Amino acid sequence: MCGIIGYLGEREAIPILIEGLKRLEYRGYDSAGIAVFDHDRIEVKRCMGKVSGLENLFKTGRNSASVGIGHTRWATHGRPSEENAHPHTYEGVAVVHNGIIENYLTLKNELKSRGHHFSSETDTEIISHLIAENLQAGLKPLEALRKALAKVEGSYALAVLIESHPDILLAARNQSPLILGLGNGEMFVASDSPAILPYTRQVIFLEDGDLVQITQSQIKIETQSGASPSRPIHTISWDDSQAEKGGYKHFMLKEIFEQPQAVADTLRGRISVEQGDVFLEGLEDRRENFLSAKRIYLVACGTSYHAGLVGRYYFERFCLLPSEAELASEFRHRNPIIGPETLMILISQSGETADTLKALREGKAKGCPTLAICNVLGSSISRMADFTLYTHAGPEIGVASTKAFSTQIIALYLTALALARDRSLVSPAGTKDKIQELLKIPQLIKKCLGLDPEIQMIARKFSGFQNFLYLGRGINYPLALEGALKLKEISYIHAEGYPAGEMKHGPIALIDREMPVLALATHGEGRDKIRSNIEEARARCGRVIALVNEGDEEIAERVEETIAVPRTQEELQPILNIIPLQLLAYHIAVIRGTNIDQPRNLAKSVTVE
Ligand code: AGP
């Protein structure tokens, strides 16, 4: 939930570090800091708030340092403050850290008993003390780092500067993402690729336990045991523009409008109309242990959990397997009865969500075959699961997840089709019409995006309300949850998603003129019943917005506002229905003037439990 960056090369480090941190602000932004060499001394500047505050600190005087580290923070230990901002230094050692040191209090007390004094409330600071102690004992930098981390329990992605060794940068990774960027005569360390894309596309994804010593011309990667693992070099295909806003006012709007391409890219190379078949790269050699599954748990958080609620329908309908969608934070605390007969599907855009990662570990420990649906190549969840089906949505920078959701649904649909085929439950002929419908989805999403002007008008009408109710039935119930989550997390309106059938069991008491109701009433088993929910709401002066299929005049004439979307197969309708709900949340938030890409209290990747 923090962003770190390191640079070692021939150019001025400060502008590279600041620009890189700006590109990582979606990971956290309550304070920021940089450490660079100023001649033979380490100079540290830190500030509250966003990275732009650092520019003012470095304006005075020129510092041509070509080695440095930087950090943008999302507080976990120690309130947001300048003294708790990273980098943390001690006796010529500067450290930036993303993660949580679980035994930091024990280590801090041990250090205090050896005469150490601390200047922050953070867990991170103890790392600089441990490394400094080891250096003072005569250890070389990489050994000093190794010995320090041997005592540390918890998650970390680290970059370290050592005053006595200005020509090296140290790094280490355990359960928090960290990549190395290989430039021409320059090296980078970063939490995520957007930070270094302007300079290089050649990256190495570090693994848990990796320790790294970087010089301008060499990278040495070792494990705690001293082994030298080989780490492949990947080429990041994302253009720099993908990580920029591309002309849109916010990353979120850009990512909403990227969904036709994101869905098309997620389908690409994985379906054949002619053969009526699905090809999921690498699934073939996992077929056996997935086929033995007797039931499925889809486990995730937030928006990804809502995608799992949709995916559950696919696995039950196509694969005839009992399937449940579970919140990762709840799933693993109830000691679930799972084992080799349980296929666990972990869904995560970032691949770093701590709760989902822990649920994955639980499943693996109990012998479950595990499949990840993930958007970030080389992320922790993708490298721990038995098999990963990547969504090819490109970087999702806005904290509110949009294109990840639609591409996750596509990936789940493809997985369910492949599993149904392997269980001989569908024929190529039966799959062909599904595939033909899949191929239409990008164009149908574009048509839904064309509703933007109408959605803006509805947003203007409803942006002043403090509460909102989203209702859906069947496969539209997860959409009610997701639409409400979008609205609440970026506009700060209290929005609630509810199964429409539950209205009469309590929530109908909430209905009055101050309670707008958005009812999802597209075709399918729930449409007729939700029509009566709409009547119940209207009878109590509720302000109803109905999302219907084009041409459904029966409902349109009975509500205040109608959003008409194209019709597709019932199972794929959620991918179209979510588009206007994303746009509605976005435009209401714009009117309310909230920080859309970085809403208060939120971070893009929740890497703490
Ligand atoms: C959704 O808009 C939020 N950003 C949040 O609920 C998110 O979906 C959740 O934290 C899960 O993240 P993940 O997909 O990266 O695991």
Side-chain angles (χ1 to χ4, degrees):
M1 70 293 170
C2 300
I4 75 170
I5 186 169
Y7 174 75
L8 187 152
E10 290 164 350
R11 288 189 275 184
E12 281 191 31
I14 291 171
I16 291 173
L17 296 172
I18 289 178
E19 173 59 25
L21 289 177
K22 283 179 178 175
R23 290 158 168 265
L24 294 174
E25 274 187 322
Y26 68 86
R27 301 177 61 81
Y29 38 86
D30 61 49
S31 55
I34 278 179
V36 290
F37 273 97
D38 184 5
H39 299 44
D40 58 353
R41 307 284 297 167
I42 290 179
E43 179 190 30
V44 176
K45 301 270 189 195
R46 302 181 297 186
C47 67
M48 280 292 289
K50 301 181 75 175
V51 173
S52 51
L54 285 175
E55 287 167 316
N56 307 327
L57 295 176
F58 278 102
K59 265 191 177 129
T60 51
R62 279 187 63 74
N63 179 320
S64 58
S66 63
V67 187
I69 56 178
H71 186 275
T72 180
R73 185 171 184 242
W74 187 54
T76 51
H77 288 74
R79 60 190 161 66
S81 66
E82 187 176 325
E83 64 271 5
N84 286 333
H86 302 207
H88 290 288
T89 57
Y90 181 75
E91 301 286 327
V93 176
V95 174
V96 291
H97 166 227
N98 173 29
I100 288 188
I101 308 301
E102 292 170 8
N103 63 334
Y104 85 97
L105 283 175
T106 307
L107 295 173
K108 192 167 187 173
N109 291 332
E110 288 172 7
L111 286 160
K112 282 180 177 175
S113 68
R114 296 199 291 271
H116 288 249
H117 298 288
F118 292 86
S119 57
S120 81
E121 305 158 319
T122 68
D123 53 344
T124 303
E125 191 183 354
I126 60 121
I127 298 174
S128 58
H129 288 244
L130 290 171
I131 294 171
E133 247 190 355
N134 296 334
L135 290 168
Q136 288 159 11
L139 293 184
K140 292 188 182 331
L142 192 55
E143 285 316 306
L145 176 66
R146 187 197 321 275
K147 187 177 177 188
L149 294 180
K151 293 180 177 177
V152 165
E153 294 166 16
S155 60
Y156 51 80
L158 293 176
V160 181
L161 284 188
I162 298 177
E163 206 157 71
S164 54
H165 293 75
D167 57 340
I168 67 168
L169 196 56
L170 296 179
R173 153 183 183 144
N174 192 47
Q175 299 178 31
S176 284
L178 195 62
I179 62 174
L180 301 182
L182 314 177
N184 184 10
E186 54 188 13
M187 300 289 185
F188 303 81
V189 173
S191 298
D192 197 356
S193 59
I196 60 174
L197 274 184
Y199 316 102
T200 181
R201 298 177 200 288
Q202 304 301 307
V203 300
I204 291 172
F205 294 102
L206 293 176
E207 301 274 355
D208 288 351
D210 283 357
L211 310 169
V212 191
Q213 177 168 296
I214 301 163
T215 63
Q216 209 172 328
S217 57
Q218 188 199 28
I219 290 178
K220 185 193 286 185
I221 301 176
E222 291 187 9
T223 63
Q224 266 295 345
S225 62
S228 298
S230 71
R231 294 282 180 259
I233 297 175
H234 294 269
T235 300
I236 295 283
S237 56
W238 289 346
D239 294 336
D240 192 32
S241 62
Q242 275 191 308
E244 293 302 334
K245 292 179 189 160
Y248 288 92
K249 192 172 176 201
H250 298 101
F251 280 116
M252 182 181 177
L253 188 61
K254 169 177 172 284
E255 288 150 12
I256 289 172
F257 276 80
E258 281 178 338
Q259 289 179 102
Q261 188 60 50
V263 165
D265 289 346
T266 302
L267 286 169
R268 195 181 316 286
R270 292 171 166 169
I271 50 178
S272 160
V273 178
E274 297 67 42
Q275 300 174 53
D277 206 354
V278 176
F279 312 100
L280 304 185
E281 62 279 3
L283 180 66
E284 291 66 38
D285 50 13
R286 293 283 168 200
R287 180 170 286 159
E288 289 322 309
N289 53 359
F290 289 170
L291 272 181
S292 60
K294 300 280 185 295
R295 60 184 175 146
I296 295 178
Y297 274 117
L298 300 108
V299 182
C301 300
T303 288
S304 299
Y305 164 66
H306 299 153
L309 283 168
V310 174
R312 187 184 72 171
Y313 285 87
Y314 302 161
F315 292 99
E316 292 207 327
R317 287 186 188 175
F318 301 159
C319 307
L320 305 183
L321 283 172
S323 305
E324 283 301 328
E326 293 273 350
L327 285 168
S329 54
E330 290 298 314
F331 178 70
R332 62 189 200 82
H333 288 304
R334 62 160 220 255
N335 193 19
I337 311 300
I338 53 178
E341 81 300 334
T342 310
L343 171 58
M344 273 186 77
I345 299 179
L346 295 307
I347 309 165
S348 177
Q349 186 285 130
S350 64
E352 300 300 342
T353 299
D355 287 321
T356 310
L357 199 51
K358 291 278 176 102
L360 169 53
R361 288 201 178 94
E362 172 103 9
K364 286 183 76 73
K366 294 188 174 177
C368 300
T370 55
L371 184 156
I373 304 284
C374 189
N375 191 45
V376 179
L377 182 67
S379 59
S380 303
I381 288 173
S382 69
R383 285 183 292 113
M384 185 179 286
D386 295 330
F387 170 70
T388 297
L389 186 63
Y390 285 103
T391 52
H392 296 154
E396 188 177 72
I397 308 296
V399 165
S401 202
T402 50
K403 59 182 181 175
F405 180 74
S406 45
T407 53
Q408 285 166 349
I409 291 178
I410 289 288
L412 289 163
Y413 191 90
L414 293 174
T415 305
L417 281 185
L419 211 48
R421 173 204 61 204
D422 293 347
R423 296 168 62 85
S424 309
L425 294 170
V426 287
S427 66
T431 307
K432 195 169 285 191
D433 66 344
K434 292 182 170 61
I435 290 176
Q436 281 167 333
E437 198 63 25
L438 273 174
L439 289 170
K440 297 176 191 167
I441 295 296
Q443 199 53 42
L444 292 175
I445 294 176
K446 276 189 187 139
K447 197 166 180 194
C448 295
L449 291 168
L451 295 168
D452 195 40
E454 290 171 52
I455 304 292
Q456 288 187 47
M457 182 272 292
I458 295 175
R460 281 194 289 276
K461 197 170 180 182
F462 286 89
S463 61
F465 287 91
Q466 294 316 314
N467 298 286
F468 240 96
L469 201 53
Y470 286 68
L471 301 181
R473 282 178 181 265
I475 206 164
N476 271 328
Y477 166 45
L479 273 287
L481 295 176
E482 177 57 13
L485 175 61
K486 288 286 100 41
L487 186 64
K488 75 176 73 149
E489 69 176 323
I490 64 171
S491 74
Y492 313 150
I493 290 173
H494 173 237
E496 202 168 354
Y498 235 91
E502 276 295 294
M503 280 299 287
K504 53 187 165 306
H505 300 286
I508 199 161
L510 294 172
I511 303 296
D512 59 24
R513 287 200 61 78
E514 294 311 307
M515 178 61 81
V517 175
L518 193 142
L520 287 129
T522 47
H523 77 98
E525 61 194 62
R527 181 213 169 270
D528 293 341
K529 288 201 173 51
I530 202 155
R531 189 183 50 199
S532 54
N533 294 124
I534 289 172
E535 293 307 326
E536 288 157 14
R538 289 185 63 237
R540 290 157 180 83
C541 303
R543 310 279 301 272
V544 181
I545 304 165
L547 192 145
V548 299
N549 285 117
E550 288 165 344
D552 187 342
E553 297 307 326
E554 181 195 14
I555 287 183
E557 63 198 21
R558 315 189 63 72
V559 297
E560 185 169 345
E561 295 294 343
T562 304
I563 301 168
V565 295
R567 180 180 175 128
T568 182
Q569 216 178 58
E570 184 188 0
E571 290 84 1
L572 293 172
Q573 192 70 45
I575 299 178
L576 305 186
N577 293 358
I578 194 57
I579 303 299
L581 304 189
Q582 293 167 344
L583 290 171
L584 181 62
Y586 173 79
H587 288 301
I588 287 178
V590 167
I591 293 167
R592 292 171 73 101
T594 53
N595 185 336
I596 289 169
D597 283 331
Q598 297 171 355
R600 67 186 181 194
N601 309 335
L602 293 178
K604 181 61 183 172
S605 178
V606 183
T607 55
V608 291
E609 288 181 81

